[in-house]
Amino acid sequence: MSNIDIGISENDRNQVADGLKNLLADTYTLYLQTHNFHWNVTGPQFRELHLMFEEHYVELAEAVDDIAERIRTLDIAAPGTYKAFVELSSIEEVDGVPEATEMVRLLTHGHEQVVKTCRKVLKVGQDADDESTVALVSDRMRVHEKTAWMLRALTQK
C-alpha cells in the first residue's frame, strides 16, 4: 500500500475492500452467467429473454469496472482471475444449459444473492464512514432489487 490519506483508516479500508471483493466476484459471476444464458436461451420467449439478458450483462459489465475501481481507490489490489472469483463469490456456477424458465429462476436468485452481499458491504462501509462506497453499494443494491423483481414477474402467471 502507498501512503494514502482519504480520512479512512487502513484497517477500515481493508475491511471495506474485502467486502467489495465479494461484491465484485458476485457481480462478475452473475455477469458471466447472464452472458452465457444470453447466448444459449431457446424457446417461445427467446427474443424477449435474449434481449433482456443482453441489457443485463451490459449493465453488469459496467458495474464490475465501477466496483474494481472503488477497490483500487482504497489502494487495495482488485481480484481479477476466475480462481479468485470462484473463491470469493457466493453465486454458484451452473452446469450445462438450463431451459429458459430455469435460467430466469437462476438469474433471479443470483440478483437476490447480490442484494444480500450488498447489504453486508453497506454495513461495513457505513461503519467505516466511507460515503463513496456506501453510495456505490446502495446504487448497486437498487439495480439488483429491481432486476430481481422484473425477472420474478416473468415467472408469475
Side-chain angles (χ1 to χ4, degrees):
M1 270 196 231
S2 62
N3 198 4
I4 180 174
D5 184 13
I6 59 172
I8 303 170
S9 73
E10 181 178 345
N11 184 55
D12 284 346
R13 284 188 292 111
N14 281 310
Q15 288 182 6
V16 169
D18 285 345
L20 287 169
K21 288 176 185 180
N22 293 121
L23 181 58
L24 177 62
D26 280 358
T27 304
Y28 193 88
T29 303
L30 186 58
Y31 158 80
L32 188 59
Q33 191 175 81
T34 304
H35 212 156
N36 175 28
F37 292 171
H38 164 78
W39 291 326
N40 291 299
V41 68
T42 59
Q45 291 184 296
F46 166 78
R47 181 165 172 73
E48 177 184 356
L49 292 177
H50 182 75
L51 294 173
M52 180 191 298
F53 294 165
E54 182 175 7
E55 290 172 8
H56 292 178
Y57 79 70
V58 167
E59 194 281 329
L60 288 163
E62 291 177 21
V64 164
D65 200 50
D66 290 342
I67 297 163
E69 287 178 356
R70 181 63 195 155
I71 295 168
R72 293 299 303 137
T73 301
L74 295 170
D75 202 32
I76 310 293
T81 65
Y82 290 120
K83 181 180 178 182
F85 290 151
V86 166
E87 292 173 3
L88 292 165
S89 182
S90 60
I91 297 176
E92 306 242 346
E93 289 194 37
V94 176
D95 291 326
V97 178
E99 65 174 28
T101 55
E102 180 64 5
M103 288 177 177
V104 171
R105 189 195 69 73
L106 288 164
L107 292 176
T108 302
H109 178 72
H111 283 279
E112 290 172 342
Q113 185 56 52
V114 175
V115 170
K116 292 176 194 174
T117 300
C118 284
R119 291 188 189 286
K120 291 176 187 174
V121 180
L122 193 62
K123 176 78 172 112
V124 175
Q126 289 167 335
D127 290 347
D129 200 26
D130 180 355
E131 203 57 42
S132 295
T133 294
V134 168
L136 171 67
V137 173
S138 179
D139 288 346
R140 294 303 319 145
M141 188 165 46
R142 190 170 26 261
V143 168
H144 291 286
E145 287 173 340
K146 185 175 182 179
T147 303
W149 160 61
M150 290 183 168
L151 288 165
R152 277 192 306 273
L154 286 171
T155 61
Q156 295 176 349
K157 297 180 185 207

